[in-house]
Amino acid sequence: DGILYIARGFSWAYLYMSTTEVLTVSTAVNNKYQFFETLDATSPTLYGNGAANTIRSTVNPINGGTAWSNPATTIDTAEWSITGLKCVQSMLYIFKGNRPFYLDTSGNVKTLTGMTQTLASTTGGAGTTEFSGKMYIPYGRGLLEYDIANTAFDWKQPSNYGIGFSGTFAGLAGDDRYLYAAVL
């Protein structure tokens, strides 16, 4: 819709900015979000997490637009917080510190995998990126590769590629050829 939406955490109302670079503070009833992600569906829908384990959605988040979904959709328990949202191939993925989830085509919450639970941390799943038809999901020292087309998982360890690695993943990015990882 040509508008930039800026989530500012659970304490501040989100902002949005038009192409004329005018910032507006949201006056929506539910206006405090940590992460935003747009689901690229027939009617693009903005999702945001308004608490540690809930998400809401709307097709028009500007003031006077469409109200955010109510009640919120609960993602597992509040024990592990949401660390990110990602839309890949018209599916919304929700990452929590202990494991990833997704919304099925009916909007039901499903667990993507439980393979990450032994590596759970407060940053687990944060910084997930899509590269070459696969998602790369960092959990501590492990990098879980999810082949979307084949619904298959594979752990990728940098040490298997001759790289001395003893840290954790801080960020991922890809270009047309390589996947890059920043590590701590």
Side-chain angles (χ1 to χ4, degrees):
D1 63 2
I3 297 175
L4 173 66
Y5 297 95
I6 304 165
R8 303 191 307 158
F10 301 137
S11 299
W12 301 91
Y14 67 89
L15 303 172
Y16 58 92
M17 183 171 62
S18 66
T19 55
T20 60
E21 299 181 7
V22 173
L23 279 173
T24 303
V25 178
S26 171
T27 58
V29 172
N30 298 298
N31 65 4
K32 295 177 179 111
Y33 294 93
Q34 183 180 24
F35 302 108
F36 281 145
E37 183 70 7
T38 301
L39 182 64
D40 56 350
T42 305
S43 294
T45 303
L46 185 66
Y47 282 84
N49 71 311
N53 69 321
T54 64
I55 60 172
R56 295 179 187 271
S57 64
T58 180
V59 294
N60 187 2
I62 65 171
N63 292 340
T66 307
W68 287 87
S69 57
N70 195 16
T73 300
T74 301
I75 313 298
D76 201 33
T77 67
E79 179 182 3
W80 293 100
S81 295
I82 293 172
T83 59
L85 304 171
K86 186 84 173 163
C87 175
V88 178
Q89 297 178 5
S90 299
M91 293 287 292
L92 181 70
Y93 295 89
I94 305 104
F95 301 95
K96 294 189 73 175
N98 63 333
R99 58 190 171 161
F101 296 84
Y102 68 97
L103 293 184
D104 69 11
T105 55
S106 298
N108 299 311
V109 177
K110 302 289 184 179
T111 302
L112 183 63
T113 183
M115 296 172 65
T116 57
Q117 290 192 82
T118 59
L119 299 171
S121 71
T122 57
T123 60
T128 295
T129 193
E130 179 197 6
F131 173 72
S132 194
K134 298 175 182 172
M135 269 197 302
Y136 291 88
I137 310 167
Y139 274 91
R141 292 187 173 141
L143 183 62
L144 184 60
E145 176 187 77
Y146 174 55
D147 184 333
I148 300 162
N150 298 310
T151 62
F153 295 94
D154 187 24
W155 284 105
K156 298 295 182 187
Q157 304 297 353
S159 58
N160 293 344
Y161 300 92
I163 300 167
F165 177 73
S166 61
T168 59
F169 290 91
L172 299 169
D175 60 20
D176 61 336
R177 189 169 178 188
Y178 296 107
L179 177 67
Y180 301 95
V183 295
L184 298 174

